[in-house]
Amino acid sequence: MLLLSLLLSLLLSGSQAFFQLQVQKLVTVQEGLCVLVPCSFSYPSILDGDSFPVYGYWFEDGTNTNTGIPVATNNPARPLQSRTQERFQLVGDLHKKNCSLLIRAAQREDEARYFFRVEKGTIMKYNFKDKFWLKVTALTQKPDVFIPKTLESGQKVTIFCVFTWTFKQCPVPSISWSGAALSSQETTPQTSYYSVLSLTPGPQDHDTELTCQVDFSRKDLSMKRTVRLSVAYAPKDLIITIFRDNVPVLESQGNVTFLEAQKGQVLQLLCTAEGQPPVTLSWALENRVLSRSHPTGSRTLGLELPGVKPGDAGHYTCRAENRLGSQDRTLDLSVQYPPEELTVTVSQANRTELEILRNGSSLPVLQGQSLRLVCVTHSNPPARLSWVQGTKTLSLSRSSDPGVLELPVVQEEHEGDLTCQAQNLLGTQHFSLSLSVHYPPQLLGPFCSWGAEGLTCSCSSRAWPPPSLRWWMGEALLDGDSSNASFTVTSSSAGTWANSSLSLHGGLSSGLRLSCEAWNVHRVQRATVLLLPDNGSISIAFSKGAFLGIGVTTLLSLCLVAIIVRMLRKKQTQAGTPRTKISRGSTILDYVNVVPKAGSPAQNQKAKPSSPPRTPSPGTRPPESKNRKDLPLVSLHYPESKPSSPALDSKNSSEELQYATLNFLRPWEMQRHKKACEEYAEIMFQRGSPQL
């Protein structure tokens, strides 16, 4: 046996071909971490049958294996270095020729070269020449967190935290989670190489941190990985901020905000909102989009209204939207401004046509017609409308709308300047017009008298527009302001009045008819003087002074009868009894009408003669009567209601008599005639009347 052992020892010492070690040359570990160094060896198989135990030793390079202390061994009889005790561990099964070394909580001082020694009883003791270098680096290893790039609000998600730098032989670390998105139940540490976290994020968790931390047995050794959550959610927290003239005045988070601005102010509307993915912002007025932001741009979208106008009023809506939804906010803008665009429309005489007037225009209206003026303006707040004439506020409207002025019957007193006034808190505007009241001619006369040179007649008329006067002799029109051997016409006018006089020279025939005609654009009025034939007693009475007393008595009687006749006329009018027309054969006793000096056209009735008068032509000299001065004169009034023009002739003027005005025209009776009966509208004698 001794010889055999010596032979084996020599064999072993003389050859390394039977002893091999397989270990990586460089092993790198981060400070504080655990690393497994895989290792295997081989020796001559002749030694396998021996029953001696196998011991292995790891030594730091340069250590005397006989006297030095190993860093790790499976031999319980050999002490270990205090630095490596409980950290370096020979974990390989030497009977299976596995010499793997486990290093826990690596330290900087552990960095060195290490070799392996194997022993089996007394027959085998061998130091392998192959060595490995342990390199200890700074701790940079962190756990890996696997999380979706974008989370959706309200949707449950699973997150993984894995620590990959470890081995089964290494201690299991403790993994914990922390972050604002976690509840207390989710932060319980787990002892494992990985951790699974179930999370239901909300919009408030967007852009918050989530941390996975790995802790080892050493209190001062831990590592962590922090991620920032990206949570997708629909738009929220939409806010409208309003600046007036660069000064912030309002910040609104409600669904509808009301804002009042004055015309001309500068408004800036800012809209901001949160959302993930980033929201797209837009401003719209009613249903018209005014501006839109880019999704990758700013989270604020502005809308500027420089010099705000009434047309800018309306509902402004800011909308924030992304793929998960949308949110709206509405601003109701009211623009206040003083009255403007004041207009007045007019309708006359119940006509449906409307006419728009211009400020400062003149409005002609026919007397007696109805008039309706409507004043309209644009303003905010609504203006108070009123009609003013001079300094007096009118209340003539039957409408509840103060902008409407109604005159059912236009009279002369309505003439003048009318002003529509529109007023609110911001200002006042006026619209003025001049109301001009038109009326048809009111004819006075003709009044005729005998003179030394012949018959002189005068006629006056009042109307607006100013009237024109002309004379007719029978069917012949006498030129105005002209004279010849037979007649002289003189006319004048002033304001609303027109005057004309006619002088006839030479002898006049009985039955001669002289007519004074007044006209303007609204109507024609005509009055006629008849020279009646001489019929005996009447002529003699008129030619002598004895008729003076009779005339006075007659006139007084006429005035008394006038009262009775007027009452009878009223009764007759109510009964609907038609009036009897004057026939051509009527005498001076048939009808006697006394008309006041200033007759109103409204009191005159339309008159037509029953047959055309027979008068000589203007070119024919009328035959001279035997008693020219004794010819009585009868003044007949013919009112015309037709519109007239200067070219109107006698054929166009209807002259059928319904009423006639008779005046006894003697020079000594003219003044008494006017004074005695001018208070009565009309005196009538009718032959055969049952009332007389």
Side-chain angles (χ1 to χ4, degrees):
M1 287 293 293
L2 185 59
L3 180 62
L4 182 59
S5 298
L6 179 60
L7 179 61
L8 183 58
S9 178
L10 291 174
L11 180 62
L12 294 175
S13 61
S15 177
Q16 298 183 6
F18 299 99
F19 292 90
Q20 293 181 356
L21 182 71
Q22 293 180 352
V23 66
Q24 61 190 75
K25 300 299 182 182
L26 177 64
V27 176
T28 303
V29 63
Q30 293 185 19
E31 184 180 11
L33 296 184
C34 173
V35 64
L36 178 66
V37 182
C39 175
S40 64
F41 64 93
S42 62
Y43 54 85
S45 58
I46 193 173
L47 301 176
D48 288 340
D50 199 331
S51 60
F52 293 104
V54 180
Y55 294 105
Y57 305 88
W58 283 99
F59 289 94
E60 189 173 342
D61 191 21
T63 302
N64 188 327
T65 57
N66 293 323
T67 60
I69 301 175
V71 295
T73 181
N74 65 336
N75 186 358
R78 292 287 297 268
L80 297 174
Q81 290 188 21
S82 59
R83 179 178 60 83
T84 62
Q85 191 174 10
E86 296 182 357
R87 294 192 305 109
F88 281 60
Q89 182 180 359
L90 180 59
V91 295
D93 187 355
L94 295 181
H95 293 283
K96 296 179 180 180
K97 300 180 178 58
N98 188 334
C99 55
S100 296
L101 176 65
L102 181 64
I103 302 174
R104 298 187 182 95
Q107 299 177 4
R108 290 285 186 177
E109 295 82 359
D110 297 335
E111 188 170 272
R113 193 181 300 278
Y114 296 91
F115 66 93
F116 183 69
R117 175 183 173 83
V118 63
E119 294 180 355
K120 189 174 183 180
T122 58
I123 64 172
M124 183 179 64
K125 294 182 179 182
Y126 187 80
N127 294 337
F128 291 92
K129 300 301 181 182
D130 294 325
K131 305 172 183 179
F132 77 91
W133 174 261
L134 179 63
K135 183 177 179 61
V136 180
T137 63
L139 179 61
T140 59
Q141 182 65 30
K142 295 181 179 181
D144 295 316
V145 176
F146 298 94
I147 183 172
K149 184 177 180 180
T150 302
L151 311 178
E152 287 196 11
S153 176
Q155 299 295 323
K156 190 174 182 178
V157 65
T158 300
I159 305 173
F160 295 89
C161 180
V162 179
F163 184 72
T164 57
W165 193 285
T166 187
F167 302 93
K168 292 182 180 180
Q169 296 83 356
C170 292
V172 178
S174 176
I175 300 178
S176 61
W177 296 89
S178 63
L182 304 177
S183 62
S184 59
Q185 293 79 6
E186 296 169 331
T187 59
T188 303
Q190 299 176 357
T191 302
S192 177
Y193 296 108
Y194 66 93
S195 178
V196 180
L197 176 66
S198 294
L199 179 66
T200 304
Q204 71 280 0
D205 300 324
H206 176 69
D207 207 31
T208 61
E209 291 183 346
L210 179 65
T211 300
C212 174
Q213 181 169 312
V214 178
D215 294 301
F216 290 91
S217 57
R218 284 179 53 183
K219 295 182 179 180
D220 59 344
L221 181 62
S222 65
M223 56 202 69
K224 59 184 178 180
R225 172 81 66 178
T226 299
V227 294
R228 189 168 293 276
L229 300 182
S230 177
V231 181
Y233 56 93
K236 68 182 187 70
D237 298 337
L238 194 155
I239 300 175
I240 295 177
T241 306
I242 303 168
F243 293 83
R244 182 188 289 122
D245 295 334
N246 297 323
V247 177
V249 294
L250 183 64
E251 183 176 285
S252 172
Q253 295 180 341
N255 289 332
V256 180
T257 301
F258 297 92
L259 175 66
E260 291 182 347
Q262 292 187 10
K263 180 180 178 181
Q265 289 183 332
V266 177
L267 292 182
Q268 186 178 19
L269 312 178
L270 297 181
C271 180
T272 60
E274 300 288 340
Q276 185 63 28
V279 299
T280 298
L281 297 171
S282 63
W283 275 107
L285 175 58
E286 306 303 339
N287 296 321
R288 179 168 55 94
V289 177
L290 304 177
S291 62
R292 186 185 299 273
S293 69
H294 195 275
T296 60
S298 172
R299 295 186 306 170
T300 300
L301 179 63
L303 178 65
E304 187 167 351
L305 302 175
V308 65
K309 305 178 294 297
D312 295 330
H315 299 287
Y316 288 83
T317 301
C318 178
R319 165 167 289 188
E321 54 187 340
N322 62 12
R323 63 180 178 84
L324 298 179
S326 64
Q327 189 178 26
D328 295 339
R329 291 285 184 270
T330 298
L331 173 66
D332 190 357
L333 176 61
S334 174
V335 180
Q336 295 185 335
Y337 56 98
E340 59 184 29
E341 299 180 11
L342 188 61
T343 59
V344 173
T345 57
V346 59
S347 61
Q348 299 183 42
N350 299 323
R351 291 180 297 179
T352 57
E353 308 89 39
L354 296 179
E355 178 185 357
I356 300 178
L357 301 179
R358 300 179 61 182
N359 194 8
S361 61
S362 178
L363 176 62
V365 182
L366 185 62
Q367 184 182 30
Q369 288 186 343
S370 62
L371 178 66
R372 177 183 173 90
L373 298 173
V374 181
C375 184
V376 179
T377 186
H378 298 283
S379 64
N380 189 25
R384 182 173 58 87
L385 297 171
S386 61
W387 282 97
V388 177
Q389 187 171 36
T391 59
K392 178 183 178 182
T393 300
L394 301 179
S395 57
L396 302 176
S397 174
R398 294 180 296 180
S399 171
S400 59
D401 186 355
V404 177
L405 177 62
E406 292 182 351
L407 300 176
V409 179
V410 176
Q411 302 295 341
E412 287 189 52
E413 59 265 21
H414 296 146
E415 184 169 88
D417 293 332
L418 294 176
T419 300
C420 176
Q421 178 175 287
Q423 183 177 13
N424 66 6
L425 297 176
L426 301 178
T428 304
Q429 192 175 28
H430 299 83
F431 188 104
S432 298
L433 60 93
S434 178
L435 181 61
S436 175
V437 179
H438 288 198
Y439 50 92
Q442 302 171 6
L443 188 60
L444 301 179
F447 301 106
C448 298
S449 62
W450 294 104
E453 298 181 357
L455 182 65
T456 300
C457 297
S458 63
C459 185
S460 298
S461 178
R462 179 175 179 265
W464 188 259
S468 298
L469 292 175
R470 58 187 176 186
W471 293 90
W472 294 83
M473 181 182 294
E475 300 295 331
L477 175 65
L478 305 183
D479 294 336
D481 289 338
S482 60
S483 63
N484 57 23
S486 300
F487 67 90
T488 300
V489 176
T490 303
S491 300
S492 64
S493 63
T496 60
W497 285 92
N499 303 298
S500 183
S501 62
L502 171 64
S503 297
L504 295 177
H505 315 303
L508 300 177
S509 63
S510 63
L512 177 63
R513 184 175 63 173
L514 297 177
S515 300
C516 177
E517 187 176 79
W519 84 92
N520 66 3
V521 295
H522 300 296
R523 192 174 298 171
V524 175
Q525 289 283 83
R526 175 183 291 186
T528 299
V529 175
L530 293 179
L531 276 71
L532 298 180
D534 187 5
N535 53 1
S537 60
I538 298 178
S539 174
I540 296 173
F542 272 102
S543 63
K544 296 181 180 181
F547 186 73
L548 178 60
I550 300 175
V552 172
T553 304
T554 302
L555 288 178
L556 292 177
S557 300
L558 289 176
C559 293
L560 178 61
V561 173
I563 299 174
I564 301 174
V565 172
R566 186 167 184 175
M567 295 174 61
L568 294 176
R569 285 186 59 205
K570 184 175 181 180
K571 181 176 181 181
Q572 184 180 29
T573 301
Q574 294 175 351
T577 304
R579 298 178 183 267
T580 305
K581 295 183 179 179
I582 299 178
S583 65
R584 183 60 183 168
S586 298
T587 66
I588 190 171
L589 296 179
D590 290 335
Y591 291 83
V592 180
N593 295 338
V594 180
V595 179
K597 182 177 182 180
S600 172
Q603 298 169 340
N604 295 328
Q605 301 291 330
K606 188 173 182 180
K608 295 181 181 180
S610 58
S611 62
R614 292 172 293 178
T615 58
S617 61
T620 304
R621 180 181 178 91
E624 184 174 354
S625 175
K626 296 180 181 179
N627 298 314
R628 181 176 57 85
K629 294 184 180 181
D630 294 335
L631 290 177
L633 303 178
V634 178
S635 175
L636 300 177
H637 216 63
Y638 299 100
E640 294 287 342
S641 58
K642 297 181 181 179
S644 174
S645 65
L648 190 65
D649 57 19
S650 61
K651 294 180 180 180
N652 295 328
S653 300
S654 177
E655 295 185 356
E656 180 181 354
L657 287 178
Q658 292 180 353
Y659 297 96
T661 301
L662 181 149
N663 294 325
F664 294 98
L665 301 175
R666 291 298 184 189
W668 56 85
E669 296 172 334
M670 293 295 295
Q671 295 302 323
R672 286 183 299 168
H673 160 68
K674 295 178 184 178
K675 292 180 181 180
C677 297
E678 62 182 1
E679 67 179 30
Y680 299 105
E682 196 168 324
I683 296 178
M684 176 187 297
F685 290 100
Q686 183 172 350
R687 177 177 295 174
S689 174
Q691 288 88 356
L692 293 179

